[in-house]
């Protein structure tokens, strides 16, 4: 659904899209982690984003998402698709998870190279290995929305 939306909307807003390429770095709060660091490379209205984050000291998550920005104004909506992998260290074994994610949000060019944004990512678990080897509950297939905010700097 998000991919179809991106393709259709790209044709509709191509004239107003932001031209150029570059990269941004920043911090995130919420979403795939309590705190995260993000690198984003963009060209015209498309971007690839990599976020490394943690909820607590004993886990580490990495999310990779492709995003499409719409419009060329100071506030731009975006939609994307990606994957999120998380490893949680515990005994007797580490827990692992792979999650499909669809980030939707708004990106605001606050001033020159400073950006703030908010997103809500719709997530669905694909693979889970629970830390307890005797825990054989089935995978929960619900869609889980996780909100987040961020700050980015474009040098």
């Amino acid at each position: 659904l998000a991919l179809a939306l991106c393709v259709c909307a790209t044709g509709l807003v191509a004239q107003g899209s932001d031209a150029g390429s570059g990269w941004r770095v920043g911090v995130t709060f919420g979403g795939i982690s309590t705190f995260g660091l993000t690198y984003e490379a963009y060209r015209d209205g498309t971007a690839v984003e990599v976020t490394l984050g943690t909820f607590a000291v004993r886990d580490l998550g990495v999310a990779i998402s492709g995003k499409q920005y719409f419009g060329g104004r100071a506030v731009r909506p975006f939609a994307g698709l990606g994957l999120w992998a998380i490893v949680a260290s515990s005994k007797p074994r580490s827990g692992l998870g792979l999650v499909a994610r669809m980030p939707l949000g708004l990106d605001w060019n606050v001033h020159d190279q400073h950006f703030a944004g908010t997103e809500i990512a719709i997530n669905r678990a694909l693979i889970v290995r629970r830390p307890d080897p005797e825990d054989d509950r089935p995978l929960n297939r619900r869609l889980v929305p996780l909100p987040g905010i961020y700050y980015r700097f474009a040098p």
Side-chain angles (χ1 to χ4, degrees):
L1 178 62
L3 183 60
L5 175 66
C6 289
V7 170
C8 293
T10 300
L12 294 174
V13 298
Q15 292 178 347
S17 67
D18 214 19
S21 63
W23 55 278
R24 305 189 302 177
V25 294
V27 294
T28 63
F29 301 96
I32 72 150
S33 60
T34 303
F35 173 78
L37 300 173
T38 300
Y39 173 82
E40 179 183 40
Y42 62 89
R43 182 175 179 144
D44 297 327
T46 60
V48 174
E49 169 184 283
V50 178
T51 301
L52 180 66
T54 184
F55 283 106
V57 178
R58 301 183 69 149
D59 66 85
L60 183 64
V62 176
I64 300 172
S65 301
K67 293 173 26 176
Q68 178 68 49
Y69 290 95
F70 304 106
R73 298 202 163 83
V75 177
R76 299 183 304 164
F78 64 84
L81 289 174
L83 291 174
W84 167 28
I86 188 165
V87 177
S89 175
S90 65
K91 294 183 180 178
R93 69 178 184 180
S94 294
L96 303 170
L98 182 64
V99 177
R101 62 189 312 263
M102 183 175 72
L104 306 167
L106 293 173
D107 186 72
W108 177 32
N109 186 347
V110 178
H111 179 70
D112 290 333
Q113 300 136 326
H114 301 275
F115 297 82
T118 184
E119 78 173 31
I120 186 159
I122 310 301
N123 300 282
R124 184 168 190 245
L126 301 173
I127 300 169
V128 173
R129 184 183 90 174
R130 301 180 196 284
D132 182 359
E134 297 189 18
D135 186 352
D136 60 353
R137 290 178 290 160
L139 186 62
N140 187 337
R141 299 283 184 182
R142 288 185 299 182
L143 296 177
V144 178
L146 294 175
I149 59 172
Y150 64 81
Y151 165 78
R152 304 236 170 107
F153 177 71

